[in-house]
Amino acid sequence: MEISAHGKLNLTLDVLRRREDGYHDLRMIMQSVELCDTITLQPAAESGIQVTTNLSFLPADGRNLAAIAAERFRSAAGKGPEGLAIQIYKRIPVCAGMGGGSSDAAAVLRALNELTGAGLSPEELARLGQSVGSDVPYCVLGGTALAEGRGEVLTPLPPLPDCRIVLCKPRFSISTPELFSRICCGKIRCRPDTAGVIAALEAGDLTGVARRLYNVFEDVLPVRLAGEITAIKQTMQGCGALGAAMSGTGPTVFGLFARERGAEQAAELLRRTYSEVFLTRPYNLV
Ligand code: C5P
C-alpha cells in the first residue's frame, strides 16, 4: 500500500501558557501543502517493524516516528501484520518545522487502519497519534485547522485559497525543547491575530491571511538566526510575496504568492544561497 504524507505550515503560532505536565498550551492555524513524503507499507516475512528511507542519516529503527506509530497501532487495535516493512521516500525537509516526521506517523496510522480493517474513528486515530507526537493528531486530519491545547484540540477551518508557496530551509537547526524553553509566556510582545486569520479564511481572502502570518518563536530566536530568517522573508517580499513567516519551531520560512512568476523569482534567488528551496501549493481536503 502506498500513501502520501503531506507537509504542514503554521499560518499562525501562539504559545499561551506553560502547563503542569511540561508541555505548552498552543493556538495555531495549520495548513497542509502539496509537498509530501511517500510511504509504502508491506507485510514482511520477518516479524517486527523495519523502516527504510532514502536519507541515510534518519533513524531506521524503533526511534523513527513511523515505527513508533505502527507499534502503538498494533497494541491499541490488537491487529496488524506480525512483520511490517515501512519504506519512506522523504521530500519534506527534515527537522524543519514542517511536521514531516509527524505526517509520516499519521500516514502509517491511517494506512494500518485501512489495511487491517480495524475501523478506528479519526478521533481514535488522533488520540493514538498524540502519544507519538503533539503534531500527529493534526496530521491525521490534515487540511486547514485550528489546533489548540498541546496541538490535539482540532477545529477544521475553510481552506487557504489556492496560491503559490515558496519554502526555504536555512542550514541551522534549533531543537524544539530549546526553543520552547526560550519562550516566556508572560513576556511575549506580539501575538498573532488568530481571529483575523480565521475571518480572512472564511472570506476566502488570501491577502488578509498573508498579511497576518505570525509565529511567536521568531521573536525568541538567537539574534544571528533571527537575522537570517528576516533576510529570507525580505527576499520573498521583494519578489511579491503577500506575506512570509517561519513555520513551527523552524527553521523553514515560507512565503505566500498570488503569482507564479514572483514565486519562481524568489525560489531562483534563494537557491543561490540555500540548497533546500521548494515551490508548492496548499493541499486542501475536497
Ligand atoms: O510532542 P512532541 O514530541 O512533538 O514535543 C516535542 C517537545 O516540544 C516537547 O518535549 C516539549 O518540550 C515541546 N512541546 C511543548 N508543548 C507542546 C508541544 C511540544 O512544550 N504543545
Side-chain angles (χ1 to χ4, degrees):
M1 184 180 210
E2 192 178 286
I3 41 165
S4 300
H6 291 269
K8 64 88 182 159
L9 297 173
N10 291 89
L11 302 179
T12 63
L13 195 161
D14 200 1
V15 182
L16 303 183
R17 64 190 73 82
R18 192 169 189 281
R19 304 165 21 151
E20 294 283 308
D21 61 7
Y23 284 88
H24 292 77
D25 277 327
L26 309 175
R27 183 186 291 136
M28 41 195 188
I29 299 179
M30 321 282 263
Q31 172 66 49
S32 300
V33 293
E34 278 188 356
L35 183 69
C36 64
D37 296 340
T38 302
I39 319 266
T40 312
L41 293 188
Q42 268 176 330
E46 273 174 55
S47 68
I49 295 160
Q50 306 147 36
V51 182
T52 50
T53 79
N54 57 319
L55 300 178
S56 55
F57 59 86
L58 285 184
D61 53 18
R63 287 171 303 161
N64 191 297
L65 293 188
I68 298 172
E71 206 56 80
R72 300 269 155 90
F73 181 88
R74 246 189 347 206
S75 18
K79 285 187 178 191
E82 264 301 298
L84 181 67
I86 305 175
Q87 217 181 312
I88 307 176
Y89 188 86
K90 296 280 325 164
R91 294 187 198 84
I92 305 169
V94 174
C95 292
M98 290 193 59
S102 305
S103 186
D104 296 346
V108 166
L109 292 177
R110 281 189 276 113
L112 283 177
N113 198 34
E114 203 177 312
L115 271 176
T116 60
L120 298 190
S121 66
E123 292 72 27
E124 286 171 314
L125 284 182
R127 227 181 347 263
L128 202 50
Q130 199 193 341
S131 72
V132 182
S134 303
D135 280 344
V136 180
Y138 160 72
C139 292
V140 169
L141 185 77
T144 315
L146 175 69
E148 296 173 288
R150 233 183 87 187
E152 81 288 12
V153 183
L154 298 164
T155 311
L157 292 173
L160 179 68
D162 193 30
C163 59
R164 298 295 180 275
I165 301 173
V166 177
L167 305 169
C168 175
K169 181 185 170 249
R171 265 173 287 277
F172 71 82
S173 69
I174 181 158
S175 90
T176 297
E178 189 193 331
L179 210 46
F180 270 105
S181 73
R182 295 177 77 98
I183 283 265
C184 180
C185 294
K187 289 192 185 151
I188 295 176
R189 288 179 301 171
C190 186
R191 293 186 180 272
D193 174 12
T194 311
V197 173
I198 294 174
L201 287 169
E202 280 164 353
D205 172 12
L206 176 63
T207 309
V209 174
R211 270 194 358 228
R212 295 180 173 86
L213 301 177
Y214 192 70
N215 180 342
V216 294
F217 283 125
E218 284 182 47
D219 217 23
V220 297
L221 287 172
V223 177
R224 203 175 52 77
L225 308 185
E228 196 167 347
I229 299 292
T230 303
I232 296 170
K233 293 203 303 195
Q234 283 169 348
T235 301
M236 290 177 173
Q237 278 150 355
C239 294
L242 301 172
M246 186 175 84
S247 183
T249 49
T252 301
V253 177
F254 68 98
L256 305 185
F257 293 78
R259 291 179 219 290
E260 180 101 48
R261 180 106 188 82
E264 279 170 357
Q265 264 171 0
E268 201 181 304
L269 270 179
L270 290 164
R271 281 193 185 115
R272 293 183 191 166
T273 311
Y274 297 101
S275 56
E276 292 189 87
V277 177
F278 304 87
L279 271 169
T280 189
R281 303 163 80 124
Y283 176 77
N284 289 318
L285 311 169
V286 270

